[in-house]
């Protein structure tokens, strides 16, 4: 692809869109920028990018711009069936995403992680292991730092550890990681992908370009792993918490890789079942990359977790606050609830993703969660399904700020308030990370929760 003198329209000025536009400008491209939603954040981005040479597009000039460009670059938050993307397709324009764009400039080998749950934690674990092994490495992608922002800071000797979402895979065709990992696949994002079949297809696409010299690290307990193993050309390495595999597995309190004993499971700093599974995926990836056992053990014994994933925030008046904003689906939120040892008040809600919460509330009754505060765009749906499941201890409020106030009122000393929304954040925030940061500010009194 020609960048110098090429004409690109970057659609969506989130972190990914800003990073894509900045990278293109640095390589001499003509860059048009547009965001369908006007906000203070978007206006600030437009101003900064304009100073760097980008051309702001207004709605009335959009069709003319689409005819003039060579390539449309979509931010991950914008679906491939967005009306602007559809128009670009009709005009036979190239359509790529920020991940695809960044991969064109990537010199370092990549370890990519996809799946429904555990991606961020697994990426952070792999990054920690590689740093312990004194490798030059960065955690990028859906974990919070766009690939385009840091891609040129990694040399050929470095390693890019990239979290890859199904949103990113809609516009990714040529990306070729050295190691591709699948944590698991369960129902998610049906509001965007419409069917489970579409969602699974996008997850499996990460493994399409792998060659015989690459590795596919697969969860032996995920039914979709078999389909990937049967079609990929890569070397398949499994991990499991339930059985012996050719890769990483846990058995009788011990961690193995193939026939080799690595260390006792007790050495892991995060011992919950889902985190042991994440650690096994990270171990399998690290071993495929040739990392020594001591670096793996040292990293995983000191690992303290990813931001916005079961993150302890504060203890005030005997009440503990935990930020699990990264839990954007029911499986992740239920895993968080099952980790709670003390009576818990849980904050649930946000923008809806198209699935039922009925079974979630049935299973929530078996945890220590004694009360839920429902907020956000999908609060009425949550309340209806909560009641149908016989879970009657709940309140309904409009937003996260109010939910934090109500939870703090309901909670008693010795209990925990857990933000684990089981929903997307886009009704109120630009992403789970912004939601988590807002929750922390509310707790620490940096913003008035009563507003």
């Amino acid at each position: 692809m020609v960048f110098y003198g090429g004409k690109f329209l970057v659609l969506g000025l989130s972190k990914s869109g800003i990073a894509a536009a900045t990278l293109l400008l640095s390589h001499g491209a003509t860059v048009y920028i547009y965001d369908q939603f006007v906000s203070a954040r978007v206006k600030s981005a437009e101003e900064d990018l304009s100073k760097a040479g980008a051309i702001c597009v207004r709605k009335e000039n959009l069709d003319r711009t689409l005819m003039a460009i060579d390539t449309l670059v979509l931010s991950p938050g914008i679906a491939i069936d967005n009306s602007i993307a559809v128009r670009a397709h009709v005009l036979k324009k190239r359509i790529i995403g920020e991940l695809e764009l960044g991969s064109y400039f990537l010199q370092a080998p990549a370890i990519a992680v996809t799946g429904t749950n555990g991606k961020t934690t697994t990426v952070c674990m792999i990054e920690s292991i590689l740093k312990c092994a004194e490798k030059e490495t960065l955690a990028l992608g859906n974990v919070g730092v766009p690939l385009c922002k840091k891609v040129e800071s990694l040399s050929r000797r470095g390693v890019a550890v990239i979290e890859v979402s199904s949103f990113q895979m809609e516009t990714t065709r040529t990306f070729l990681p050295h190691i591709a990992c699948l944590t698991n696949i369960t129902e998610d994002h049906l509001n965007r992908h419409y069917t489970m079949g579409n969602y699974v297809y996008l997850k499996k696409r990460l493994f399409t370009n792998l060659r015989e010299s690459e590795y596919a690290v697969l969860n032996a307990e995920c039914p979709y792993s078999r389909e990937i193993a049967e079609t990929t050309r890569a070397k398949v390495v499994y991990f499991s918490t339930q059985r012996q595999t050719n890769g990483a597995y846990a058995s009788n309190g011990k961690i193995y890789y193939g026939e080799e004993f690595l260390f006792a499971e007790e050495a892991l700093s995060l011992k919950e079942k889902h985190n042991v599974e994440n650690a096994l995926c990270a171990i399998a990836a690290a071993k495929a990359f040739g990392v020594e056992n001591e670096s793996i053990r040292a990293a995983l014994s000191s690992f303290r977790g990813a931001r916005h994933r079961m993150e302890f925030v504060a203890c005030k008046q005997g009440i503990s606050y935990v930020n699990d904003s990264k839990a954007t689906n029911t499986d992740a939120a239920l895993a968080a609830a099952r980790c709670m040892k003390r009576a818990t008040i849980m904050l649930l809600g946000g923008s809806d993703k198209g699935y039922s919460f009925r079974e979630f509330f049935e299973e929530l009754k078996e945890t220590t969660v004694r009360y839920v505060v429902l907020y956000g765009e999908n609060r009425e749906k949550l309340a209806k399904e909560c009641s149908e499941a016989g879970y009657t201890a709940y309140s309904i409020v409009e937003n996260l700020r109010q939910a934090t106030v109500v939870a703090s009122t309901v909670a008693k000393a010795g209990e925990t308030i857990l933000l684990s929304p089981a929903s997307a954040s886009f009704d109120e925030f630009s992403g789970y990370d912004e939601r988590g940061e807002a929750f922390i500010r509310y707790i620490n009194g940096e913003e008035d929760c009563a507003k």
Side-chain angles (χ1 to χ4, degrees):
M1 183 183 295
V2 176
F3 295 100
Y4 186 84
K7 296 179 180 180
F8 296 79
L9 170 61
V10 175
L11 182 59
L13 296 180
S14 61
K15 288 187 293 186
S16 294
I18 294 168
T22 302
L23 180 63
L24 287 167
L25 287 167
S26 72
H27 284 268
T30 299
V31 180
Y32 299 88
I33 54 175
Y34 180 74
D35 197 305
Q36 293 172 284
F37 303 99
V38 179
S39 66
R41 179 179 55 80
V42 168
K43 288 180 179 178
S44 176
E46 286 179 338
E47 184 177 337
D48 291 343
L49 289 170
S50 293
K51 290 177 181 177
I55 303 165
C56 292
V57 177
R58 298 302 166 220
K59 187 176 182 180
E60 58 271 21
N61 298 322
L62 191 56
D63 204 55
R64 187 186 311 161
T65 304
L66 284 171
M67 288 188 283
I69 63 167
D70 309 307
T71 305
L72 175 67
V73 182
L74 287 185
S75 295
I78 299 174
I80 194 67
D81 61 355
N82 176 278
S83 61
I84 298 172
V86 171
R87 177 62 177 152
H89 179 73
V90 170
L91 292 170
K92 301 187 184 304
K93 303 298 180 179
R94 183 188 295 111
I95 301 174
I96 63 173
E98 181 271 330
L99 174 65
E100 180 84 345
L101 175 63
S103 71
Y104 296 149
F105 295 90
L106 184 62
Q107 298 183 69
I111 300 175
V113 181
T114 196
T116 304
N117 296 308
K119 298 187 297 297
T120 301
T121 300
T122 302
V123 162
C124 292
M125 285 178 169
I126 295 171
E127 180 192 34
S128 295
I129 291 170
L130 292 173
K131 284 183 175 179
C132 253
E134 299 184 347
K135 303 284 186 184
E136 174 197 353
T137 184
L138 287 173
L140 302 167
N142 198 56
V143 71
V145 181
L147 177 60
C148 284
K149 185 173 183 177
K150 295 288 187 179
V151 65
E152 294 186 302
S153 65
L154 276 173
S155 71
R156 293 181 184 276
R157 295 186 298 276
V159 188
V161 188
I162 306 173
E163 179 182 340
V164 180
S165 71
S166 58
F167 291 6
Q168 291 169 308
M169 289 310 300
E170 285 182 339
T171 51
T172 299
R173 297 290 183 276
T174 64
F175 176 51
L176 175 61
H178 178 57
I179 301 171
C181 308
L182 177 71
T183 57
N184 49 66
I185 300 179
T186 59
E187 188 176 81
D188 203 4
H189 299 304
L190 299 190
N191 60 322
R192 168 114 167 208
H193 303 310
Y194 304 114
T195 69
M196 189 65 180
N198 288 341
Y199 177 59
V200 172
Y201 166 76
L202 290 168
K203 290 296 186 187
K204 289 163 60 177
R205 182 185 276 180
L206 179 65
F207 300 84
T208 301
N209 297 331
L210 300 184
R211 304 164 301 195
E212 290 83 356
S213 55
E214 272 79 53
Y215 293 86
V217 174
L218 305 175
N219 185 343
E221 309 315 318
C222 176
Y224 300 104
S225 291
R226 182 181 297 276
E227 298 173 19
I228 295 171
E230 289 175 350
T231 56
T232 185
R233 292 177 292 167
K235 303 178 185 72
V236 174
V237 178
Y238 288 104
F239 65 92
S240 174
T241 57
Q242 299 180 32
R243 69 188 78 182
Q244 182 174 349
T245 70
N246 68 332
Y249 62 95
S251 177
N252 297 318
K254 298 177 180 179
I255 303 294
Y256 295 87
Y257 187 84
E259 299 293 335
E260 181 186 13
F261 168 70
L262 300 186
F263 47 80
E265 192 174 322
E266 184 64 27
L268 296 174
S269 61
L270 303 182
K271 298 176 175 60
E272 303 84 1
K273 182 182 176 183
H274 64 281
N275 276 321
V276 172
E277 193 170 79
N278 294 335
L280 292 172
C281 182
I283 290 168
K287 291 288 285 184
F289 204 76
V291 178
E292 297 294 332
N293 296 345
E294 182 52 36
S295 294
I296 296 172
R297 189 202 64 76
L300 295 181
S301 64
S302 60
F303 183 74
R304 292 294 172 257
R307 287 298 313 278
H308 309 295
R309 192 72 178 102
M310 297 302 290
E311 177 185 12
F312 175 78
V313 177
C315 183
K316 296 195 170 186
Q317 297 180 321
I319 300 169
S320 295
Y321 293 82
V322 176
N323 167 28
D324 193 41
S325 180
K326 186 69 171 71
T328 60
N329 59 62
T330 53
D331 282 347
L334 194 59
R338 286 170 173 159
C339 290
M340 296 295 102
K341 306 303 181 187
R342 306 193 299 178
T344 299
I345 316 301
M346 192 170 186
L347 279 57
L348 292 165
S351 53
D352 198 56
K353 299 174 85 172
Y355 45 70
S356 171
F357 288 84
R358 179 68 183 270
E359 186 176 339
F360 168 79
F361 283 115
E362 292 283 1
E363 296 194 48
L364 197 64
K365 290 187 287 188
E366 305 302 317
T367 71
T368 63
V369 175
R370 71 168 183 86
Y371 197 94
V372 295
V373 183
L374 311 175
Y375 74 94
E377 183 182 83
N378 62 353
R379 59 189 181 276
E380 297 296 338
K381 173 183 176 178
L382 284 165
K384 180 177 182 293
E385 298 192 21
C386 185
S387 296
E388 289 173 351
Y391 202 108
T392 57
Y394 67 87
S395 293
I396 308 174
V397 298
E398 184 177 348
N399 55 42
L400 177 58
R401 189 193 304 268
Q402 294 169 356
T404 306
V405 172
V406 171
S408 298
T409 303
V410 172
K412 303 171 184 175
E415 296 185 338
T416 299
I417 293 176
L418 170 68
L419 169 66
S420 194
S423 307
S425 58
F426 304 122
D427 58 333
E428 191 178 352
F429 304 100
S430 64
Y432 73 85
D433 48 350
E434 185 179 305
R435 175 172 58 191
E437 295 298 338
F439 179 62
I440 293 169
R441 290 197 303 273
Y442 300 155
I443 293 164
N444 291 333
E446 296 172 29
E447 292 188 29
D448 183 0
C449 289
K451 287 181 181 178

